[in-house]
Amino acid sequence: MLLISADNVFILNTIAFGHQLRSGTAQAELLADVHQLGFQAVEIRNEFLSGNDSELVQIRDEAKHQQLEVYYSVNAPLFVQREINPRFGQYIAEMHQLGASHLKLNFGEYPKDEMLILSDLGKYLDGSFEFNVENNQTPSESKLKDIVNFFTAIDHSNVDVGFCFDTANWYWTGNTPEEAAKLLSKSTRYLHLKNKMGEAGSLQVTPLVQGDIDWEKLIGFFSNIHEFALEYDGTKAEIQQGLHALKSESLN
């Protein structure tokens, strides 16, 4: 059983406002809504940024005004052609400009030279931020076996990388979240929470409390998690329902 405590951080990924983002609304304009909905942190998505440094500063300043912690989600793989993404340093710089201390990328293709890659990766991680990788919906970038092998190597190194576990994306890669949770619970630092409906070929993301996944049971695999991010496009009512469910007295 995972008890909800005052130490927990509830994060809203800005994909919650997907319709507005696709219509051109800037993420800085959404931070007041994130605060009003009852979240302590916002997860900014890089694919909806304009590319201007001034926008990063605007988000940083507005987040401070709304008393929101900032997480930075980059929709790109850490490993590209089995090497560290050449833009990794750029993403770290953007994270700092946002005033964030958390950076997340997708996993990617497992590196060719594991020990060399870990050594090179450690050069980027100076202890000033938390870095995590996530399972996305692309099978070639989120192979469960590769991710497990990577974190086995991490456990035998001094490189500080954690896992962001997405509760629904596993179905797009041919796995179930339960089998993944058994293997990755110790490496997981925070959860991306959403649900799904349908089977292979007809899968679709749904709000947390409306899909096929027994998310309450699933969260029970993660006894030491204190960071919970809702990551689905929904109405304010659907977001509030998800947050209310998370804030219930206990999760099994």
Side-chain angles (χ1 to χ4, degrees), residues 16 44 53 72 98 104 108 120 139 146 152 161 166 171 184 211 220 246:
I44 299 295
D53 290 349
Y72 188 31
L98 284 166
K104 180 201 68 64
D120 289 344
D146 286 353
T152 299
V161 181
D166 187 289
Y171 287 98
L184 292 167
L246 280 173

Side-chain angles (χ1 to χ4, degrees), residues 88-102:
F88 189 41
Q90 173 191 327
Y91 299 138
I92 293 172
E94 291 170 352
M95 175 205 65
H96 286 306
Q97 287 179 290
L98 284 166
S101 57
H102 296 76

Side-chain angles (χ1 to χ4, degrees), residues 105-230:
L105 274 73
N106 300 325
F107 181 73
E109 298 178 282
Y110 197 69
K112 292 180 295 187
D113 189 329
E114 181 179 276
M115 298 311 296
L116 178 60
I117 285 292
L118 288 179
S119 176
D120 289 344
L121 186 59
K123 296 173 184 177
Y124 289 93
L125 306 178
D126 61 3
S128 66
F129 64 99
E130 178 180 294
F131 177 60
N132 300 292
V133 293
E134 180 189 16
N135 58 301
N136 66 359
Q137 295 179 3
T138 304
S140 63
E141 295 181 356
S142 295
K143 294 179 180 178
L144 178 56
K145 180 180 178 181
D146 286 353
I147 295 173
V148 170
N149 287 341
F150 175 74
F151 280 104
T152 299
I154 288 289
D155 288 343
H156 293 89
S157 76
N158 60 357
V159 180
D160 186 17
V161 181
F163 191 58
C164 172
F165 187 104
D166 187 289
T167 55
N169 284 350
W170 294 109
Y171 287 98
W172 275 261
T173 62
N175 302 107
T176 68
E178 290 81 10
E179 66 177 315
K182 291 175 183 177
L183 297 169
L184 292 167
S185 60
K186 291 182 180 180
S187 302
T188 300
R189 285 180 174 157
Y190 78 103
L191 301 177
H192 264 186
L193 291 156
K194 56 176 174 269
N195 217 314
K196 68 90 185 175
M197 293 186 67
E199 303 300 330
S202 62
L203 287 163
Q204 61 181 16
V205 171
T206 64
L208 182 63
V209 298
Q210 296 179 20
D212 302 331
I213 301 172
D214 186 348
W215 62 272
E216 291 179 317
K217 180 180 179 181
L218 180 61
I219 287 180
F221 285 95
F222 303 96
S223 58
N224 296 314
I225 297 298
H226 297 285
E227 296 169 293
F228 304 88
L230 294 186

